[in-house]
């Protein structure tokens, strides 16, 4: 398993942007598919975006498509989530997660998780 640490969260106004980072430990990062998920208070954890091991294919939740971009730098053992046009409904604790092989939209498929970084969008 890899150890994951998220950063980059914060408070932003509606329409603003943030870039989240997720740094992974270990030398096998490039063999892990990566995902971003979020959880708002009182709600279940939901899929945001995921990316294949090589970074060539990405998938997004409909709610963030066109506004968020997931990317990775395997040389830096880091995956990113660029978020633009943020809305109050994007407020949540954002987690990155890792799993071997192909990425999926289901949080239960991932076996390594970070501690989360809070994103708050004010109206």
């Amino acid at each position: 398993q890899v150890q994951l640490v998220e950063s980059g969260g914060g408070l932003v106004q509606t329409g603003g942007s943030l870039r989240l980072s997720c740094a992974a430990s270990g030398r096998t990062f490039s063999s892990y598919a990566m995902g971003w998920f979020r959880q708002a208070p009182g709600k279940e954890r939901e899929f945001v975006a995921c990316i294949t091991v090589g970074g060539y294919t990405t998938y997004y939740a409909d709610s963030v498509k066109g506004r968020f971009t997931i990317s990775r730098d395997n040389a830096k053992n880091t995956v990113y989530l660029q978020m633009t046009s943020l809305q109050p409904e994007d407020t949540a604790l954002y987690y990155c997660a890792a799993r071997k092989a192909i990425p999926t939209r289901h949080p239960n498929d991932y076996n390594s998780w970070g501690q989360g970084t809070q994103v708050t969008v004010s109206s």
Side-chain angles (χ1 to χ4, degrees):
Q1 292 187 350
V2 292
Q3 305 298 314
L4 304 173
V5 179
E6 302 96 335
S7 61
L11 174 64
V12 65
Q13 291 184 334
T14 297
S17 299
L18 282 174
R19 188 176 81 155
L20 305 184
S21 299
C22 173
S25 65
R27 295 178 292 176
T28 60
F29 174 74
S30 59
S31 65
Y32 285 85
M34 300 297 297
W36 283 98
F37 296 83
R38 65 188 182 186
Q39 188 167 18
K43 295 187 177 181
E44 293 187 352
R45 191 168 299 188
E46 65 172 1
F47 168 74
V48 175
C50 60
I51 189 168
T52 54
V53 296
Y56 297 110
T57 305
T58 57
Y59 304 91
Y60 297 93
D62 288 344
S63 60
V64 307
K65 198 173 295 182
R67 301 188 298 124
F68 291 11
T69 302
I70 187 172
S71 62
R72 66 190 297 163
D73 185 337
N74 286 343
K76 295 183 178 180
N77 282 11
T78 303
V79 63
Y80 305 97
L81 185 68
Q82 178 68 49
M83 306 185 294
T84 63
S85 300
L86 283 161
Q87 302 297 314
E89 52 266 35
D90 295 316
T91 295
L93 190 60
Y94 282 71
Y95 299 90
C96 68
R99 72 183 302 267
K100 286 285 193 176
I102 62 173
T104 78
R105 297 170 179 258
H106 308 291
N108 289 344
D109 291 341
Y110 292 76
N111 49 25
S112 295
W113 290 85
Q115 82 290 348
T117 186
Q118 179 67 39
V119 171
T120 303
V121 184
S122 63
S123 57

